[in-house]
Amino acid sequence: MKKIVLITALLALAACDSEASEPAPVATPVPVAAPTPTLPAPNEAVFAEAYAKACPSAEPVSTSLCRSKGFGQEGFVCEYGLGDDEHRRNKTELAPGDGEWVIDAEAACAAK
């Protein structure tokens, strides 16, 4: 009789262990589409066009360099030179507008 009780207890333990050792169901990750940029990164030509549109009476942009404002922030900070100046002595912000890059004309044009 002791053998039957012992065998029954072992079978019960084996059944419990098999349930406990089964891995928990894993949720399948849902792929998320990467966001597509709506505006191209600003280069010298893009900045020169945005500046000319914001400040039509100013000298044309001779050189520019735009850098991101920082991780998670929209827009760029651009340093630029005007006319024959090959040095980037001026600075302004470039922000996304309605399908184009825009410059705050009040801030950028008044400083010159």
Side-chain angles (χ1 to χ4, degrees), residues 31-107:
V32 178
T36 56
T38 55
L39 292 172
N43 56 20
E44 281 192 8
V46 170
F47 178 78
E49 181 182 333
Y51 187 83
K53 190 172 185 179
C55 307
S57 62
E59 292 184 74
V61 174
S62 59
T63 182
S64 65
L65 177 67
C66 296
R67 294 186 178 116
S68 174
K69 289 174 71 174
F71 185 72
Q73 297 180 0
E74 285 189 335
F76 289 82
V77 174
C78 300
E79 297 174 350
Y80 60 98
L82 296 174
D84 294 333
D85 193 1
E86 61 187 43
H87 301 287
R88 297 184 295 265
R89 301 178 197 275
N90 307 298
K91 185 187 282 189
T92 191
E93 291 187 12
L94 195 62
D98 293 329
E100 63 184 359
W101 291 109
V102 293
I103 294 174
D104 179 13
E106 214 174 278

Side-chain angles (χ1 to χ4, degrees), residues 4-47:
I4 294 176
V5 173
L6 184 59
I7 291 174
T8 307
L10 287 174
L11 289 175
L13 280 175
C16 289
D17 286 342
S18 67
E19 290 175 11
S21 65
E22 290 180 18
V26 178
T28 306
V30 178
V32 178
T36 56
T38 55
L39 292 172
N43 56 20
E44 281 192 8
V46 170
F47 178 78

